[in-house]
Amino acid sequence: MDEHLPEPIRAVEHELTALLRRGRAVSWEIAREVHPNLEPNTYGLLLWLRRSGSIRLTELAARLGVGKGTLSRQINALEVLGLVHRDPDPSDRRAAQISMTDEGQRRFDVARAARLGEFLRALDGWPERDVEEFARLLGRFNDSWQ
C-alpha cells in the first residue's frame, strides 16, 4: 500500500511521526516540571485552561476532542494535585467552571517558558515569514482533523 501513496504524503507521515515522538518526550519532561505526579497527556489540557481562564467541562471536552468521563478523571487528578479547581457555574448551578489555581498557573508558566525556549532555539535563524507560514499551515492541518 505504501508504494501507492504519493511521496509528499509519505514525507508528511514521516515528519509528523518524528514530531509526535519528540512531542511526547517533551510533554513527559514538562509534565514532570509542573508536578512530579502529573500525567504527560495533561499538558494540552492545562494549556487550554491557561488560555481560557475558566471554562465548562463540556466545552473543554469538545475543544480537546475527548469524552466528558475521561476529562472528568483528568480534572479530578489535577484537583488532587492542587493545580485546578471547580467553581459552580453562575449561569447553571448544575455545571461547574474549571480553572487553574494560582499555584497551577505559576507551575505551568515556569514549565511552559522552558518549552517555548526550546521552540525559540529550534526556530532560531528562520525568517519571520517562514515561522508565520509554519504556524498557519500547522493550524490549517489541525483544523482539518476536526
Side-chain angles (χ1 to χ4, degrees):
M1 175 174 166
D2 184 47
E3 62 275 355
H4 300 299
L5 292 173
E7 179 54 34
I9 297 298
R10 289 189 300 224
V12 166
E13 179 199 29
H14 174 78
E15 296 303 331
L16 278 177
T17 299
L19 178 65
L20 293 171
R21 186 177 59 247
R22 252 186 228 105
R24 279 191 299 274
V26 168
S27 290
W28 272 101
E29 292 170 19
I30 291 176
R32 297 296 181 240
E33 287 179 37
V34 173
H35 193 283
N37 298 328
L38 190 65
E39 291 292 322
N41 59 348
T42 56
Y43 178 80
L45 166 60
L46 290 173
L47 180 60
W48 271 105
L49 285 173
R50 186 66 174 111
R51 293 173 102 188
S52 63
S54 181
I55 190 169
R56 288 174 98 174
L57 185 114
T58 52
E59 184 180 346
L60 184 59
R63 288 186 182 203
L64 293 172
V66 298
K68 289 190 300 185
T70 298
L71 183 58
S72 186
R73 284 188 295 278
Q74 290 176 334
I75 295 296
N76 287 341
L78 292 171
E79 279 185 300
V80 168
L81 297 175
L83 302 175
V84 302
H85 59 88
R86 298 178 205 228
D87 293 311
D89 187 329
S91 64
D92 182 354
R93 288 296 199 202
R94 297 168 297 169
Q97 290 285 120
I98 301 163
S99 56
M100 295 178 78
T101 62
D102 291 342
E103 179 66 7
Q105 287 181 15
R106 186 192 67 72
R107 287 173 171 251
F108 179 81
D109 290 348
V110 168
R112 185 171 183 224
R115 181 179 218 179
L116 291 174
E118 291 293 321
F119 288 161
L120 283 171
R121 280 187 285 287
L123 298 170
D124 186 43
W126 284 38
E128 186 175 344
R129 290 168 84 191
D130 286 357
V131 175
E132 290 169 355
E133 181 69 359
F134 183 55
R136 186 188 71 74
L137 290 171
L138 280 174
R140 182 176 166 194
F141 181 78
N142 283 330
D143 287 346
S144 70
W145 283 71
Q146 295 177 6

